[in-house]
Amino acid sequence: MALFQSGRLVKDQKALLESIQLLQQLAHHQTHLRDLPSKTLVDILSEVPETVFEEVLFGILQADLTSAFKSPENLHLLLVGMQKFPGVLKPKKLKKLFGSPTIVNEENIPRLVELLESAAKSEKKDKKLPSVGLDLLQVSLKEGAFELFWNEAVENGLFKEKSGPVSYMCYRLLGSALPLLSLDQLQMVLKGRVMQHYGEHVVTTQLPDRFKFAPEMEAYVDKFLTSCDDPERQLAMMIGFSTLTNQGYPVVPSVWRVVRHLQPVALQKYVDWLKDMFLKPDLDCCLDFSTNRQKQNQENKNIAQHKIARLRKWIIHRLMSIVESPVKKEESLVMDISRFCFFHAFFETKKKTSQIPETNVLISEPLDEQAHSLAANYFFGLLQTLNTLTVLGDTTEAAALREKHIHGVTADGKLWIFHLVEYASELLSSEKYVKAVKPFTKEQRDAWERTLQSVKNLQKKKSKSDSAKHFAFQQLLLLMAIHLFKNPSETMDLLSDLLNCTERAFSKEAKKKKTENAEPEWVEVIVEILLSLLAQPSLLIRRISNSVFGRICPNLTKKGLQLILDVLDPYQDQDEESAVVVVEESEKKIKSEQDMDDDDDESEDSSDDGDSEEENDSEDEKNEEVDEDFRSQLINVLQAGNALGEDESDEELDDEAMMALDKNISALFAEQQKRIQAKKDEKDRIRKEKILRRDFKIKVLDLVEVFLSKQPENPLVFDIIEPLLQVIEQCMSSDSDKQEVDFLQKTAHIFTNSLCRAKQYCKRVDVLQDDLHTFVERLVKKACKHTDSSVALYYFSASLYLLKVLKGNVSDKSPALPVPLSKKQTNTIPQACQLLSTGCLDVERVTLIYQQALTQFLSKRNSALTSSMFLDLFTRFPIMCKPLIDILVKSITAGARQHQQAQACLLLQKVLPLRELKLSTTKEEWEELIRESISQVTESLKVPDKLRVKAEKEKVARSLELLNFLLKTVTQQKLHVELMELDKVLVALSQQEGIGKSARLDSLYWNVMRWLNYTKPKKEKTANKPVQEAEPPKRKKKGFLPETKKRKNRKKAVRENGAAPVANEDGDSAAPEEQPLGTETPEQKDNRLPGSKKHKKQNRGVRENGVAAEGSGNGTVNGEDAVAGKKRKKKRNRKRKGDVGNEAEQIPAAKKAKGDVNQETKQKQGKAKKKRKEKKSAVLQE
């Protein structure tokens, strides 16, 4: 193939023939080479010119072409040749080759089916369409025999064998054929058996471990719709897949994304078809099927009504998803879908009229109550989509609105919901033609009219200053009005309050009359309404509530904010039970409406779940503790029936007495069962209420976040700090379930990002200065008293936020700077005054607060404060550095423990480089600060002999880091500081054992010594190598005793001399019971003989060390010899100890651990030597 692609084989026909022959020979080794030769032949055939094929290749390939129906490879070769060289492989030549002028005919169908089956099984692992299948499809279209090929070969031939690979090949044939077919062929294919089998596959492969072909089919359809320019073919495609139904419910999802490729004409026709199918369901045009389980469970159902209900449910959701999809659409289409959904959710047609297009087509099968309720739920989901929809259209007005990122309005600037309310008003006024599913009462109709009038009045009052306020009231009024159709009884109270509030908010008389005993402000009423709306489980209501609240934030009062904060108060949860119950009931209604069309499979699963729940209940009953009241009642019943046998009579109870006793016992157990169930229901109710209450609080947090983002400069922000801190503190100590964690994370996120890190803050705090300073003191004290560092961090961060507010405000008193600056400093750094300005901050008062906190942190062992808190204080407010730095310097030695002393060094090291600190001090003060710091560090480095504790090492490390900066400052700024004492301490510090072992301490130490003109000595790596080479023979001798010291030889020496052994006077002999433990050799422990090879080697080693074993038996002849022997023995012992010591020094640590004698034996030998020395010294004294 590489030679052919290079172009050489085409030029050399002989080489081309030889290559083709070689490939034909290799094709017989399919097991080894698979189908590589045949693929190479096909590639060559598709590239050669027609003349070369006719003159050179046709003759050599004629045998393969003649046997085309014997293997898929040969058939593929023939099909490629027919498409590439139609002038050569004409029908006449095909008839000569294999007796037929065409490939696809009735005679060849059986052989084609066999070949396709073989090809499908060979491509099983690759999961792709065999090339021969696609080529055969194209040839059948070219020969005009596609219908024959599809009906006979595919549907009636391939589907006879129910095989997975064959079925998937048919699905891939269907997907690949879509772009190649005409409109009639497309409609035929989409109504055939392949489509039905595909639908069954989609329904039966819902489990996660099944292979799903649906994504691949969606890719085929997506590709077809992208490349197709014919709206009719696009429409046929969408209708074909939309009518593939399982008991009325289409197989494709209602949010099928391929709709985004439809052209506007096709999209409009598809929407019209969906509406017609909703009004007049035509089940005959659907390719419907049922699974085996569905067929077994559909005996007692009205199948036709069931299918229609399922189809309508899918259609209404399909219409809603079209509005949500990114397909290009016009406002008229969106409004048409919205009006259609609204009409059939809340109204019915009585009579046709041209004024209302939705009444032009009468519905064939009336909608029941469940269908209306389902359509209403989907309509409110559509409202949510419309509320976030970008402006549609190509006009300049629409483009301008899109640039402003305005959502939920039409091109004329009106809300989508306003257009729908106008349409609803039109329907309500046309009682002759339409009727409401739930007609309004007179009171509800009056509220509706008042709402419309209020909206119109607000639209007339166009004021730039109150535009946000007008828009918020319009949005809220329209939302309440549209909710009258869904929940009229629940909405009436809120709507009446909202109407009254609207009149008060925009009336001039209400602004003039403001007395102390007046009614609540309109904004407080709005807040209460929003809180009531948030209790409902609706995303639309939640988003509109947040939008409305964001627009009325500038008018929020302290009482209105307190209403929101009371909800978050962890100690006022009991007041929310009524709202919780409303939410729970509404949730149950929604669930019941959405679950009306569940499949029988799901019902069976739910029944299984019910059985499991009953089993769990029974297990809980077994584990339930026995109630003492129930026990006493049971005893009383048994005693009354004389069933305990206390009277000791042999008479048994008669049948009537037994029946009465059974009846009483059963009644008693039934009552007990009811009590147990009531307790369980109560626990479950409390658990659900807790979940709903927590969910409600999470929604209310959205209002807090909106207020902080919209009104960061409002003084009411200060009232939010403590409630959020209480929520964080309470959540930290409560349960750790997922919902609680989400609530905590959201609260902490709002507190940290929306409050403490806000770039804007209140600029009008002149009146609040004293309160804010008291607030800072209270927050810092709480942080100090707390035991949890994570909670203390939030309190400390809040105090820093207040410092930022106080420092950023300009006081009327214009206080002077805390430290006067020299003219030189002021001239060199013009920003000095700005950097050290205090604003409204009372530096002395705040300094006292943080001095107490810093002193507690450095003097108290278990403090919740951390160094990062104070580091944040110093970096954000450098003005606090100078008043607090003396505490840091003193704490280097006066800290509670080594940890606090290390933290003091760390903080001082971070504070000293700050430019603002140097600006606030004079040159003399700066030099004195450096001198005192060095003195304290010098005193701190006078550590014990050994650095064993980790905290002590950390303290030394922090001290050295600080000292490195201090000496660098002294050197670079040429300060006059005495360093003699420090030099002595550092030199003594190098002798400590822990310095050299720690790489970090060693590096820090020599970094400091570099400023004192010391250099780190270099290590000689090769100095000990000759000594180490002489070590191995010495290490083998270590730990072995000479022959005279061994117990058996000492006995022999005693017998030879004929004298009793002296008790350890001269060290030559000792009684067996007096010999110290651990002095025997390994050979003695293993009961080896003295004459073994190892024993002899050890003796030789002992002799080499200068210990004569032969003379050991003469140690007891006389006193002089004994004294001389003692001296010689001492000398030998000293020599032996010296050798051992030298070895210990020369052997590396890793080699010492691998010594021949274990450590325990060494210790025992050392103890024995000490005992012998003590006994010898006692004898000499005597």
Side-chain angles (χ1 to χ4, degrees), residues 293 297 301 598-610:
R293 182 175 293 182
N297 299 330
K301 288 184 179 179
D598 289 344
D599 294 333
D600 298 314
D601 305 345
E602 298 175 2
S603 63
E604 289 183 4
D605 295 339
S606 63
S607 64
D608 296 339
D609 296 339

Side-chain angles (χ1 to χ4, degrees), residues 746-778:
K746 185 167 186 177
T747 308
H749 174 77
I750 293 172
F751 182 82
T752 304
N753 299 315
S754 300
L755 181 64
C756 295
R757 296 180 183 175
K759 295 182 179 179
Q760 297 178 350
Y761 48 86
C762 183
K763 302 292 185 180
R764 306 182 305 274
V765 297
D766 291 338
V767 185
L768 303 173
Q769 288 187 43
D770 293 336
D771 296 336
L772 291 182
H773 282 87
T774 306
F775 197 5
V776 171
E777 185 176 2
R778 186 165 66 250

Side-chain angles (χ1 to χ4, degrees), residues 243-298:
T243 52
L244 177 61
T245 58
N246 170 231
Q247 287 196 341
Y249 197 87
V251 168
V252 295
S254 55
V255 291
W256 211 21
R257 294 175 297 176
V258 297
V259 74
R260 66 184 184 273
H261 300 298
L262 290 180
Q263 296 183 6
V265 178
L267 180 63
Q268 182 64 54
K269 289 184 178 180
Y270 181 55
V271 170
D272 295 338
W273 177 84
L274 289 172
K275 290 160 60 178
D276 291 340
M277 284 293 287
F278 184 88
L279 298 172
K280 294 183 177 180
D282 186 8
L283 298 178
D284 296 334
C285 72
C286 296
L287 188 62
D288 196 75
F289 64 91
S290 300
T291 62
N292 295 329
R293 182 175 293 182
Q294 289 172 343
K295 291 176 183 177
Q296 295 173 1
N297 299 330
Q298 64 186 9

Side-chain angles (χ1 to χ4, degrees), residues 725-753:
L725 288 172
Q726 289 177 2
V727 171
I728 292 173
E729 188 173 1
Q730 192 266 343
C731 290
M732 285 286 193
S733 60
S734 60
D735 299 335
S736 59
D737 58 338
K738 185 179 183 302
Q739 192 185 33
E740 189 77 17
V741 172
D742 293 342
F743 181 52
L744 173 61
Q745 288 178 348
K746 185 167 186 177
T747 308
H749 174 77
I750 293 172
F751 182 82
T752 304
N753 299 315

